[in-house]
Amino acid sequence: MTKKIQADDRDWTSKLKGEKKERYEQLIDLQEELLNQIEDFSVDYLIHEKETGLDSADLGSESYNKDIGLQLISNEEKELILINDAIQRLKDKTYGKCIDCKKTIEKGRLDALPYAKLCIVHKEEREKREKFGNLDNKILTE
């Protein structure tokens, strides 16, 4: 599982000012929220796993719920990777720049998706290519 950035890695954050500092705090909040959601699901799952006496219909329902829960955790872990990447880009002073064209990502896009690494033009290009089967992993292209 993805872990939070360690405290000793945060020395560089004291140099962040204004919007970059706000983005960092927003990313840390998102990171903590996702970690809590994963932990809550894991605890709920472990408690629920210990229950006995379920009939076959209950077992089928539980299996379905387990699959959905595991998919949610997988998606949240992918989002954590994107958040950690965004934090690293802040540290590297490349945050807010499109990884394809190096132009500034629109503020509205970063407001909606603070870990975005593509400007809207390149995101749309990748989605078009993905639609035609040229890209495999959509979530890692945000």
Side-chain angles (χ1 to χ4, degrees), residues 90-103:
L90 273 168
K91 186 176 182 178
D92 296 341
K93 299 180 182 172
T94 59
Y95 179 84
K97 303 289 182 190
C98 175
I99 62 170
D100 284 356
C101 67
K102 310 299 184 235
K103 292 183 181 175

Side-chain angles (χ1 to χ4, degrees), residues 3-5 10 24-40 80 83-84 87:
K3 294 186 179 181
K4 293 194 303 184
I5 302 287
R10 294 186 181 163
Y24 173 77
E25 290 168 356
Q26 184 181 22
L27 289 163
I28 292 298
D29 288 344
L30 281 171
Q31 182 186 61
E32 289 176 7
E33 181 181 325
L34 286 170
L35 287 169
N36 288 334
Q37 288 174 5
I38 290 169
E39 182 179 340
D40 289 347
L80 281 171
I83 290 167
N84 286 338
I87 291 169

Side-chain angles (χ1 to χ4, degrees), residues 20 52 95 116 127:
K20 299 291 186 197
T52 58
Y95 179 84
E127 285 176 347

Side-chain angles (χ1 to χ4, degrees), residues 8-70:
D8 56 324
D9 292 336
R10 294 186 181 163
D11 294 336
W12 58 272
T13 61
S14 63
K15 297 176 183 142
L16 294 174
K17 305 286 184 224
E19 188 177 338
K20 299 291 186 197
K21 183 175 182 169
E22 290 174 20
R23 293 291 182 198
Y24 173 77
E25 290 168 356
Q26 184 181 22
L27 289 163
I28 292 298
D29 288 344
L30 281 171
Q31 182 186 61
E32 289 176 7
E33 181 181 325
L34 286 170
L35 287 169
N36 288 334
Q37 288 174 5
I38 290 169
E39 182 179 340
D40 289 347
F41 176 79
S42 298
V43 168
D44 289 345
Y45 174 71
L46 289 174
I47 290 169
H48 199 62
E49 272 293 294
K50 293 181 180 182
E51 293 179 6
T52 58
L54 299 176
D55 64 25
S56 61
D58 288 337
L59 290 173
S61 178
E62 289 304 311
S63 178
Y64 175 77
N65 289 339
K66 177 182 173 184
D67 289 345
I68 297 295
L70 292 174

